[in-house]
Short mmCIF file of all heavy atoms in Angstrom, two decimals:
data_model
loop_
_atom_site.label_atom_id
_atom_site.label_comp_id
_atom_site.label_asym_id
_atom_site.label_seq_id
_atom_site.Cartn_x
_atom_site.Cartn_y
_atom_site.Cartn_z
N MET A 1 13.65 -62.92 50.45
CA MET A 1 12.93 -63.90 49.71
C MET A 1 11.40 -63.77 49.96
O MET A 1 10.97 -63.54 51.08
CB MET A 1 13.34 -65.29 50.20
CG MET A 1 13.83 -66.16 49.05
SD MET A 1 14.42 -67.77 49.64
CE MET A 1 12.97 -68.72 49.49
N GLU A 2 10.66 -63.88 48.88
CA GLU A 2 9.20 -63.76 49.02
C GLU A 2 8.64 -65.11 49.49
O GLU A 2 9.14 -66.16 49.10
CB GLU A 2 8.58 -63.42 47.69
CG GLU A 2 8.80 -61.93 47.30
CD GLU A 2 8.11 -61.63 46.01
OE1 GLU A 2 6.95 -62.06 45.85
OE2 GLU A 2 8.72 -60.96 45.20
N GLU A 3 7.63 -64.96 50.23
CA GLU A 3 6.93 -66.19 50.62
C GLU A 3 6.10 -66.74 49.50
O GLU A 3 5.54 -65.96 48.71
CB GLU A 3 6.00 -65.90 51.82
CG GLU A 3 6.73 -66.10 53.19
CD GLU A 3 5.71 -65.92 54.31
OE1 GLU A 3 4.60 -66.51 54.24
OE2 GLU A 3 6.03 -65.20 55.23
N GLU A 4 6.08 -68.03 49.39
CA GLU A 4 5.33 -68.65 48.31
C GLU A 4 3.80 -68.42 48.59
O GLU A 4 3.35 -68.71 49.69
CB GLU A 4 5.61 -70.09 48.23
CG GLU A 4 5.21 -70.69 46.90
CD GLU A 4 5.52 -72.15 46.81
OE1 GLU A 4 6.55 -72.57 47.39
OE2 GLU A 4 4.78 -72.90 46.18
N GLU A 5 3.14 -67.92 47.62
CA GLU A 5 1.70 -67.68 47.80
C GLU A 5 0.91 -68.89 47.39
O GLU A 5 1.12 -69.40 46.30
CB GLU A 5 1.29 -66.47 46.96
CG GLU A 5 0.11 -65.76 47.59
CD GLU A 5 -0.14 -64.49 46.82
OE1 GLU A 5 0.70 -63.59 46.76
OE2 GLU A 5 -1.31 -64.38 46.26
N VAL A 6 0.06 -69.34 48.29
CA VAL A 6 -0.76 -70.49 47.97
C VAL A 6 -2.00 -70.05 47.25
O VAL A 6 -2.70 -69.13 47.65
CB VAL A 6 -1.14 -71.25 49.26
CG1 VAL A 6 -2.01 -72.44 48.92
CG2 VAL A 6 0.10 -71.64 50.00
N GLN A 7 -2.23 -70.66 46.16
CA GLN A 7 -3.46 -70.33 45.36
C GLN A 7 -4.52 -71.32 45.64
O GLN A 7 -4.28 -72.50 45.85
CB GLN A 7 -3.13 -70.39 43.86
CG GLN A 7 -2.35 -69.18 43.40
CD GLN A 7 -2.44 -69.11 41.90
OE1 GLN A 7 -2.28 -70.06 41.16
NE2 GLN A 7 -2.71 -67.94 41.35
N TYR A 8 -5.74 -70.81 45.57
CA TYR A 8 -6.91 -71.69 45.80
C TYR A 8 -7.89 -71.59 44.65
O TYR A 8 -8.03 -70.50 44.03
CB TYR A 8 -7.63 -71.31 47.09
CG TYR A 8 -6.82 -71.60 48.31
CD1 TYR A 8 -5.99 -70.69 48.86
CD2 TYR A 8 -6.87 -72.90 48.87
CE1 TYR A 8 -5.22 -70.98 50.01
CE2 TYR A 8 -6.10 -73.19 49.99
CZ TYR A 8 -5.30 -72.23 50.58
OH TYR A 8 -4.54 -72.51 51.66
N ASP A 9 -8.50 -72.68 44.32
CA ASP A 9 -9.57 -72.68 43.35
C ASP A 9 -10.86 -72.89 44.03
O ASP A 9 -10.95 -73.59 45.01
CB ASP A 9 -9.36 -73.85 42.33
CG ASP A 9 -8.17 -73.63 41.43
OD1 ASP A 9 -7.80 -72.46 41.28
OD2 ASP A 9 -7.66 -74.61 40.88
N VAL A 10 -11.93 -72.23 43.56
CA VAL A 10 -13.24 -72.42 44.10
C VAL A 10 -13.96 -73.48 43.25
O VAL A 10 -14.11 -73.27 42.06
CB VAL A 10 -14.03 -71.09 44.14
CG1 VAL A 10 -15.44 -71.31 44.66
CG2 VAL A 10 -13.26 -70.08 44.96
N VAL A 11 -14.42 -74.48 43.94
CA VAL A 11 -15.06 -75.58 43.21
C VAL A 11 -16.38 -75.92 43.89
O VAL A 11 -16.59 -75.58 45.04
CB VAL A 11 -14.16 -76.84 43.18
CG1 VAL A 11 -12.93 -76.60 42.33
CG2 VAL A 11 -13.79 -77.30 44.59
N THR A 12 -17.23 -76.61 43.18
CA THR A 12 -18.52 -77.03 43.75
C THR A 12 -18.32 -78.19 44.67
O THR A 12 -17.63 -79.16 44.33
CB THR A 12 -19.48 -77.42 42.59
OG1 THR A 12 -19.61 -76.35 41.68
CG2 THR A 12 -20.87 -77.80 43.11
N CYS A 13 -18.94 -78.07 45.78
CA CYS A 13 -18.88 -79.15 46.79
C CYS A 13 -19.49 -80.40 46.22
O CYS A 13 -20.63 -80.39 45.73
CB CYS A 13 -19.61 -78.68 48.07
SG CYS A 13 -19.81 -79.96 49.28
N ARG A 14 -18.78 -81.51 46.27
CA ARG A 14 -19.29 -82.74 45.68
C ARG A 14 -20.30 -83.45 46.61
O ARG A 14 -21.05 -84.30 46.17
CB ARG A 14 -18.16 -83.71 45.41
CG ARG A 14 -17.06 -83.10 44.53
CD ARG A 14 -17.00 -83.56 43.15
NE ARG A 14 -17.24 -84.93 42.96
CZ ARG A 14 -17.29 -85.52 41.80
NH1 ARG A 14 -17.10 -84.79 40.71
NH2 ARG A 14 -17.49 -86.78 41.64
N HIS A 15 -20.24 -83.08 47.86
CA HIS A 15 -21.15 -83.71 48.80
C HIS A 15 -22.62 -83.30 48.59
O HIS A 15 -23.51 -84.12 48.64
CB HIS A 15 -20.74 -83.44 50.22
CG HIS A 15 -21.53 -84.20 51.27
ND1 HIS A 15 -22.61 -83.65 51.90
CD2 HIS A 15 -21.37 -85.42 51.76
CE1 HIS A 15 -23.10 -84.55 52.69
NE2 HIS A 15 -22.38 -85.66 52.65
N CYS A 16 -22.77 -82.01 48.33
CA CYS A 16 -24.12 -81.53 48.19
C CYS A 16 -24.41 -81.03 46.75
O CYS A 16 -25.51 -80.61 46.50
CB CYS A 16 -24.36 -80.37 49.14
SG CYS A 16 -23.25 -78.96 48.86
N ASP A 17 -23.38 -81.09 45.90
CA ASP A 17 -23.53 -80.68 44.52
C ASP A 17 -24.01 -79.22 44.40
O ASP A 17 -24.78 -78.88 43.58
CB ASP A 17 -24.50 -81.61 43.80
CG ASP A 17 -24.19 -81.72 42.33
OD1 ASP A 17 -23.07 -81.27 41.95
OD2 ASP A 17 -25.02 -82.23 41.59
N GLY A 18 -23.51 -78.40 45.29
CA GLY A 18 -23.77 -76.96 45.22
C GLY A 18 -25.00 -76.52 46.02
O GLY A 18 -25.29 -75.32 46.07
N ALA A 19 -25.69 -77.43 46.62
CA ALA A 19 -26.91 -77.09 47.39
C ALA A 19 -26.56 -76.44 48.72
O ALA A 19 -27.37 -75.70 49.25
CB ALA A 19 -27.79 -78.34 47.57
N GLY A 20 -25.38 -76.75 49.22
CA GLY A 20 -25.01 -76.22 50.53
C GLY A 20 -25.18 -77.29 51.60
O GLY A 20 -26.27 -77.83 51.80
N CYS A 21 -24.12 -77.60 52.34
CA CYS A 21 -24.20 -78.56 53.39
C CYS A 21 -23.17 -78.23 54.49
O CYS A 21 -22.47 -77.22 54.40
CB CYS A 21 -23.86 -79.99 52.78
SG CYS A 21 -22.16 -80.16 52.30
N LEU A 22 -23.20 -79.03 55.46
CA LEU A 22 -22.31 -78.83 56.60
C LEU A 22 -20.85 -78.70 56.23
O LEU A 22 -20.05 -77.92 56.73
CB LEU A 22 -22.51 -80.00 57.57
CG LEU A 22 -21.90 -79.92 58.93
CD1 LEU A 22 -22.57 -78.84 59.76
CD2 LEU A 22 -21.99 -81.25 59.62
N TYR A 23 -20.49 -79.51 55.24
CA TYR A 23 -19.06 -79.64 54.89
C TYR A 23 -18.51 -78.51 54.09
O TYR A 23 -17.30 -78.23 54.09
CB TYR A 23 -18.79 -80.97 54.20
CG TYR A 23 -19.31 -82.13 54.95
CD1 TYR A 23 -20.43 -82.87 54.53
CD2 TYR A 23 -18.69 -82.50 56.14
CE1 TYR A 23 -20.92 -83.91 55.31
CE2 TYR A 23 -19.17 -83.53 56.91
CZ TYR A 23 -20.28 -84.25 56.48
OH TYR A 23 -20.80 -85.27 57.21
N CYS A 24 -19.36 -77.77 53.44
CA CYS A 24 -18.92 -76.61 52.67
C CYS A 24 -19.36 -75.32 53.36
O CYS A 24 -19.27 -74.28 52.76
CB CYS A 24 -19.42 -76.70 51.27
SG CYS A 24 -21.21 -76.80 51.10
N GLY A 25 -19.81 -75.45 54.56
CA GLY A 25 -20.28 -74.25 55.28
C GLY A 25 -21.51 -73.62 54.68
O GLY A 25 -21.71 -72.43 54.68
N LYS A 26 -22.32 -74.46 54.07
CA LYS A 26 -23.62 -74.08 53.48
C LYS A 26 -23.44 -73.12 52.27
O LYS A 26 -24.39 -72.45 51.89
CB LYS A 26 -24.52 -73.37 54.52
CG LYS A 26 -24.77 -74.26 55.74
CD LYS A 26 -26.24 -74.36 56.09
CE LYS A 26 -26.54 -75.58 56.90
NZ LYS A 26 -26.49 -75.34 58.31
N LYS A 27 -22.28 -73.12 51.70
CA LYS A 27 -22.02 -72.22 50.58
C LYS A 27 -22.21 -72.96 49.24
O LYS A 27 -22.40 -72.30 48.22
CB LYS A 27 -20.60 -71.67 50.63
CG LYS A 27 -20.44 -70.66 51.70
CD LYS A 27 -19.08 -70.03 51.66
CE LYS A 27 -17.99 -71.00 51.77
NZ LYS A 27 -16.72 -70.55 52.27
N GLY A 28 -22.04 -74.25 49.27
CA GLY A 28 -22.14 -75.02 48.04
C GLY A 28 -20.85 -75.09 47.27
O GLY A 28 -20.71 -75.78 46.27
N THR A 29 -19.88 -74.28 47.74
CA THR A 29 -18.57 -74.31 47.08
C THR A 29 -17.50 -74.46 48.16
O THR A 29 -17.75 -74.16 49.31
CB THR A 29 -18.30 -72.99 46.33
OG1 THR A 29 -18.45 -71.93 47.19
CG2 THR A 29 -19.21 -72.84 45.13
N VAL A 30 -16.40 -74.95 47.76
CA VAL A 30 -15.26 -75.04 48.66
C VAL A 30 -13.99 -74.51 47.99
O VAL A 30 -13.88 -74.56 46.76
CB VAL A 30 -14.96 -76.51 49.10
CG1 VAL A 30 -16.02 -76.97 50.11
CG2 VAL A 30 -14.94 -77.47 47.91
N GLU A 31 -13.08 -74.05 48.77
CA GLU A 31 -11.77 -73.61 48.26
C GLU A 31 -10.81 -74.75 48.45
O GLU A 31 -10.68 -75.29 49.53
CB GLU A 31 -11.31 -72.38 49.04
CG GLU A 31 -12.03 -71.13 48.68
CD GLU A 31 -11.49 -69.93 49.45
OE1 GLU A 31 -11.60 -69.91 50.65
OE2 GLU A 31 -10.94 -69.07 48.81
N VAL A 32 -10.16 -75.06 47.36
CA VAL A 32 -9.15 -76.10 47.39
C VAL A 32 -7.85 -75.64 46.80
O VAL A 32 -7.84 -74.70 46.04
CB VAL A 32 -9.65 -77.41 46.63
CG1 VAL A 32 -10.93 -77.94 47.22
CG2 VAL A 32 -9.86 -77.10 45.15
N ARG A 33 -6.81 -76.27 47.17
CA ARG A 33 -5.49 -75.83 46.65
C ARG A 33 -5.42 -76.01 45.14
O ARG A 33 -5.83 -77.01 44.59
CB ARG A 33 -4.41 -76.67 47.28
CG ARG A 33 -3.88 -76.02 48.52
CD ARG A 33 -2.57 -76.65 48.87
NE ARG A 33 -2.29 -76.27 50.20
CZ ARG A 33 -1.09 -75.96 50.64
NH1 ARG A 33 -0.05 -76.01 49.85
NH2 ARG A 33 -0.88 -75.61 51.91
N HIS A 34 -4.90 -74.96 44.52
CA HIS A 34 -4.66 -74.97 43.07
C HIS A 34 -3.48 -75.89 42.75
O HIS A 34 -2.50 -75.85 43.48
CB HIS A 34 -4.38 -73.56 42.61
CG HIS A 34 -4.10 -73.47 41.15
ND1 HIS A 34 -5.16 -73.41 40.24
CD2 HIS A 34 -3.00 -73.47 40.48
CE1 HIS A 34 -4.61 -73.33 39.05
NE2 HIS A 34 -3.29 -73.38 39.14
N PRO A 35 -3.57 -76.75 41.73
CA PRO A 35 -4.72 -76.94 40.91
C PRO A 35 -5.71 -77.90 41.53
O PRO A 35 -5.35 -78.90 42.17
CB PRO A 35 -4.12 -77.61 39.63
CG PRO A 35 -2.91 -78.33 40.14
CD PRO A 35 -2.40 -77.52 41.33
N ALA A 36 -7.02 -77.60 41.41
CA ALA A 36 -8.06 -78.39 41.96
C ALA A 36 -8.02 -79.83 41.44
O ALA A 36 -7.99 -80.05 40.23
CB ALA A 36 -9.43 -77.78 41.75
N ARG A 37 -8.05 -80.74 42.35
CA ARG A 37 -8.06 -82.20 41.97
C ARG A 37 -9.11 -82.91 42.81
O ARG A 37 -9.27 -82.58 43.99
CB ARG A 37 -6.72 -82.81 42.25
CG ARG A 37 -5.58 -82.43 41.41
CD ARG A 37 -4.43 -83.44 41.58
NE ARG A 37 -4.11 -83.69 42.99
CZ ARG A 37 -3.49 -84.79 43.37
NH1 ARG A 37 -3.16 -85.75 42.52
NH2 ARG A 37 -3.16 -84.95 44.66
N LEU A 38 -9.71 -83.90 42.22
CA LEU A 38 -10.59 -84.72 43.03
C LEU A 38 -9.77 -85.46 44.06
O LEU A 38 -8.60 -85.74 43.83
CB LEU A 38 -11.33 -85.74 42.15
CG LEU A 38 -12.42 -85.16 41.24
CD1 LEU A 38 -13.05 -86.30 40.45
CD2 LEU A 38 -13.50 -84.43 42.05
N CYS A 39 -10.41 -85.77 45.16
CA CYS A 39 -9.71 -86.50 46.23
C CYS A 39 -9.21 -87.84 45.69
O CYS A 39 -9.98 -88.60 45.15
CB CYS A 39 -10.68 -86.72 47.38
SG CYS A 39 -10.05 -87.79 48.66
N PRO A 40 -7.92 -88.11 45.85
CA PRO A 40 -7.38 -89.36 45.32
C PRO A 40 -7.81 -90.59 46.08
O PRO A 40 -7.72 -91.71 45.63
CB PRO A 40 -5.87 -89.15 45.37
CG PRO A 40 -5.65 -88.13 46.44
CD PRO A 40 -6.89 -87.23 46.41
N LYS A 41 -8.26 -90.35 47.31
CA LYS A 41 -8.69 -91.50 48.18
C LYS A 41 -10.05 -92.04 47.77
O LYS A 41 -10.31 -93.23 47.80
CB LYS A 41 -8.74 -91.04 49.63
CG LYS A 41 -7.45 -90.48 50.15
CD LYS A 41 -6.56 -91.56 50.79
CE LYS A 41 -5.51 -90.91 51.63
NZ LYS A 41 -4.17 -91.34 51.21
N CYS A 42 -10.92 -91.13 47.46
CA CYS A 42 -12.31 -91.57 47.17
C CYS A 42 -12.75 -91.20 45.77
O CYS A 42 -13.86 -91.56 45.35
CB CYS A 42 -13.23 -90.90 48.16
SG CYS A 42 -13.30 -89.11 47.99
N ASN A 43 -11.88 -90.57 45.02
CA ASN A 43 -12.16 -90.20 43.63
C ASN A 43 -13.39 -89.32 43.50
O ASN A 43 -14.20 -89.41 42.60
CB ASN A 43 -12.35 -91.46 42.83
CG ASN A 43 -11.85 -91.31 41.42
OD1 ASN A 43 -11.13 -90.35 41.10
ND2 ASN A 43 -12.19 -92.22 40.52
N GLY A 44 -13.56 -88.46 44.52
CA GLY A 44 -14.69 -87.50 44.46
C GLY A 44 -15.97 -88.02 45.13
O GLY A 44 -17.00 -87.30 45.03
N GLU A 45 -15.91 -89.16 45.71
CA GLU A 45 -17.10 -89.73 46.35
C GLU A 45 -17.29 -89.24 47.78
O GLU A 45 -18.31 -89.56 48.43
CB GLU A 45 -17.03 -91.28 46.34
CG GLU A 45 -17.04 -91.88 44.96
CD GLU A 45 -18.28 -91.51 44.15
OE1 GLU A 45 -19.35 -91.65 44.65
OE2 GLU A 45 -18.10 -91.05 43.04
N CYS A 46 -16.34 -88.47 48.29
CA CYS A 46 -16.37 -87.94 49.63
C CYS A 46 -15.97 -88.91 50.70
O CYS A 46 -16.62 -90.00 50.84
CB CYS A 46 -17.74 -87.33 50.00
SG CYS A 46 -18.23 -86.04 48.82
N CYS A 47 -14.94 -88.56 51.49
CA CYS A 47 -14.48 -89.42 52.52
C CYS A 47 -13.86 -88.52 53.59
O CYS A 47 -13.82 -87.30 53.48
CB CYS A 47 -13.46 -90.41 51.96
SG CYS A 47 -11.91 -89.66 51.43
N ILE A 48 -13.37 -89.18 54.58
CA ILE A 48 -12.82 -88.35 55.71
C ILE A 48 -11.60 -87.60 55.30
O ILE A 48 -11.32 -86.53 55.84
CB ILE A 48 -12.51 -89.31 56.92
CG1 ILE A 48 -12.24 -88.51 58.18
CG2 ILE A 48 -11.38 -90.26 56.59
CD1 ILE A 48 -12.24 -89.34 59.44
N TYR A 49 -10.87 -88.08 54.32
CA TYR A 49 -9.61 -87.42 53.91
C TYR A 49 -9.82 -86.09 53.20
O TYR A 49 -8.99 -85.23 53.22
CB TYR A 49 -8.75 -88.35 53.03
CG TYR A 49 -8.38 -89.60 53.73
CD1 TYR A 49 -9.01 -90.79 53.51
CD2 TYR A 49 -7.37 -89.57 54.73
CE1 TYR A 49 -8.68 -91.96 54.23
CE2 TYR A 49 -7.00 -90.68 55.41
CZ TYR A 49 -7.68 -91.90 55.18
OH TYR A 49 -7.36 -93.04 55.85
N CYS A 50 -10.93 -85.98 52.56
CA CYS A 50 -11.18 -84.71 51.84
C CYS A 50 -12.20 -83.89 52.59
O CYS A 50 -12.76 -82.94 52.05
CB CYS A 50 -11.68 -85.04 50.47
SG CYS A 50 -13.08 -86.16 50.40
N GLY A 51 -12.48 -84.23 53.87
CA GLY A 51 -13.42 -83.49 54.66
C GLY A 51 -14.84 -83.59 54.10
O GLY A 51 -15.65 -82.68 54.24
N TYR A 52 -15.07 -84.65 53.35
CA TYR A 52 -16.38 -84.93 52.72
C TYR A 52 -16.74 -83.88 51.66
O TYR A 52 -17.90 -83.67 51.39
CB TYR A 52 -17.49 -85.05 53.79
CG TYR A 52 -17.23 -86.25 54.69
CD1 TYR A 52 -16.61 -86.03 55.91
CD2 TYR A 52 -17.58 -87.51 54.28
CE1 TYR A 52 -16.29 -87.12 56.72
CE2 TYR A 52 -17.28 -88.61 55.07
CZ TYR A 52 -16.64 -88.41 56.32
OH TYR A 52 -16.35 -89.48 57.12
N THR A 53 -15.76 -83.26 51.08
CA THR A 53 -16.03 -82.33 50.00
C THR A 53 -15.79 -83.00 48.66
O THR A 53 -16.25 -82.48 47.60
CB THR A 53 -15.08 -81.11 50.07
OG1 THR A 53 -13.75 -81.54 49.91
CG2 THR A 53 -15.21 -80.40 51.36
N GLY A 54 -15.08 -84.09 48.62
CA GLY A 54 -14.77 -84.82 47.37
C GLY A 54 -13.53 -84.28 46.68
O GLY A 54 -13.09 -84.79 45.65
N TRP A 55 -12.92 -83.22 47.25
CA TRP A 55 -11.77 -82.58 46.64
C TRP A 55 -10.51 -82.75 47.45
O TRP A 55 -10.54 -82.83 48.70
CB TRP A 55 -12.04 -81.12 46.42
CG TRP A 55 -13.12 -80.83 45.45
CD1 TRP A 55 -14.43 -80.69 45.75
CD2 TRP A 55 -13.01 -80.76 44.04
NE1 TRP A 55 -15.18 -80.51 44.59
CE2 TRP A 55 -14.32 -80.58 43.53
CE3 TRP A 55 -11.96 -80.92 43.14
CZ2 TRP A 55 -14.58 -80.46 42.17
CZ3 TRP A 55 -12.18 -80.78 41.78
CH2 TRP A 55 -13.51 -80.53 41.32
N ASP A 56 -9.41 -82.78 46.74
CA ASP A 56 -8.12 -82.87 47.40
C ASP A 56 -7.69 -81.57 48.00
O ASP A 56 -7.91 -80.51 47.47
CB ASP A 56 -7.08 -83.28 46.31
CG ASP A 56 -5.79 -83.82 46.94
OD1 ASP A 56 -5.87 -84.30 48.10
OD2 ASP A 56 -4.73 -83.75 46.28
N LYS A 57 -7.21 -81.64 49.26
CA LYS A 57 -6.63 -80.45 49.97
C LYS A 57 -7.62 -79.28 50.10
O LYS A 57 -7.33 -78.16 49.66
CB LYS A 57 -5.39 -79.96 49.28
CG LYS A 57 -4.30 -81.02 49.20
CD LYS A 57 -3.00 -80.37 48.83
CE LYS A 57 -1.87 -81.38 48.82
NZ LYS A 57 -1.88 -82.22 47.63
N PRO A 58 -8.76 -79.50 50.70
CA PRO A 58 -9.67 -78.35 50.94
C PRO A 58 -8.99 -77.38 51.90
O PRO A 58 -8.24 -77.74 52.76
CB PRO A 58 -10.90 -79.00 51.57
CG PRO A 58 -10.46 -80.35 52.08
CD PRO A 58 -9.34 -80.74 51.16
N ARG A 59 -9.26 -76.10 51.69
CA ARG A 59 -8.65 -75.07 52.50
C ARG A 59 -9.02 -75.16 53.94
O ARG A 59 -10.14 -75.39 54.33
CB ARG A 59 -9.07 -73.74 51.94
CG ARG A 59 -8.45 -72.57 52.70
CD ARG A 59 -8.77 -71.29 52.05
NE ARG A 59 -7.80 -70.29 52.45
CZ ARG A 59 -7.69 -69.06 51.89
NH1 ARG A 59 -8.47 -68.77 50.92
NH2 ARG A 59 -6.82 -68.23 52.33
N GLY A 60 -8.04 -74.98 54.77
CA GLY A 60 -8.25 -74.82 56.21
C GLY A 60 -8.43 -76.12 56.95
O GLY A 60 -8.63 -76.09 58.20
N LYS A 61 -8.42 -77.24 56.31
CA LYS A 61 -8.61 -78.51 57.00
C LYS A 61 -7.30 -79.19 57.35
O LYS A 61 -7.16 -79.70 58.51
CB LYS A 61 -9.41 -79.48 56.11
CG LYS A 61 -10.79 -78.96 55.81
CD LYS A 61 -11.79 -79.69 56.62
CE LYS A 61 -13.13 -79.46 56.15
NZ LYS A 61 -14.09 -78.68 56.57
N TYR A 62 -6.40 -79.18 56.46
CA TYR A 62 -5.15 -79.91 56.72
C TYR A 62 -3.94 -79.07 56.51
O TYR A 62 -2.98 -79.46 55.83
CB TYR A 62 -5.10 -81.17 55.82
CG TYR A 62 -6.24 -82.09 56.03
CD1 TYR A 62 -7.28 -82.14 55.09
CD2 TYR A 62 -6.38 -82.82 57.18
CE1 TYR A 62 -8.35 -82.98 55.30
CE2 TYR A 62 -7.46 -83.66 57.38
CZ TYR A 62 -8.45 -83.71 56.44
OH TYR A 62 -9.54 -84.53 56.65
N GLU A 63 -3.97 -77.89 57.05
CA GLU A 63 -2.80 -77.02 56.86
C GLU A 63 -2.13 -76.80 58.20
O GLU A 63 -2.78 -76.87 59.26
CB GLU A 63 -3.20 -75.67 56.28
CG GLU A 63 -3.65 -75.82 54.83
CD GLU A 63 -4.14 -74.50 54.30
OE1 GLU A 63 -3.30 -73.57 54.29
OE2 GLU A 63 -5.28 -74.41 53.90
ZN1 LIG B 1 -21.58 -79.04 50.41
ZN1 LIG B 2 -12.15 -88.16 49.64
#
């Protein structure tokens, strides 16, 4: 059986709007699980659940 491959989408960090900040590692973008969705807790306004990126399931935070 093959392992299920997790896909990621690259999206603009909502916290800094692409300028680069602490939460996106100064890249301005974040990788989130495909399909990219805004964080359901804050609706993209950035909160602790999305690691302040505004996106649902950012890579490497809650895996
Ligand atoms: Zn950022
Ligand atoms: Zn959030």
Side-chain angles (χ1 to χ4, degrees):
M1 237 178 93
E2 286 182 42
E3 270 186 47
E4 198 179 328
E5 209 173 299
V6 181
Q7 283 198 314
Y8 291 93
D9 289 340
V10 178
V11 293
T12 303
C13 173
R14 306 253 321 175
H15 186 265
C16 61
D17 209 14
C21 68
L22 191 68
Y23 305 110
C24 57
K26 305 230 158 92
K27 289 186 302 203
T29 56
V30 285
E31 286 183 294
V32 299
R33 267 197 198 220
H34 180 81
R37 288 197 310 157
L38 288 180
C39 172
K41 305 267 196 235
C42 64
N43 216 14
E45 296 301 310
C46 303
C47 68
I48 193 167
Y49 298 103
C50 54
Y52 297 95
T53 63
W55 295 93
D56 198 24
K57 301 193 178 77
R59 181 172 199 171
K61 296 255 192 261
Y62 302 106
E63 290 177 61

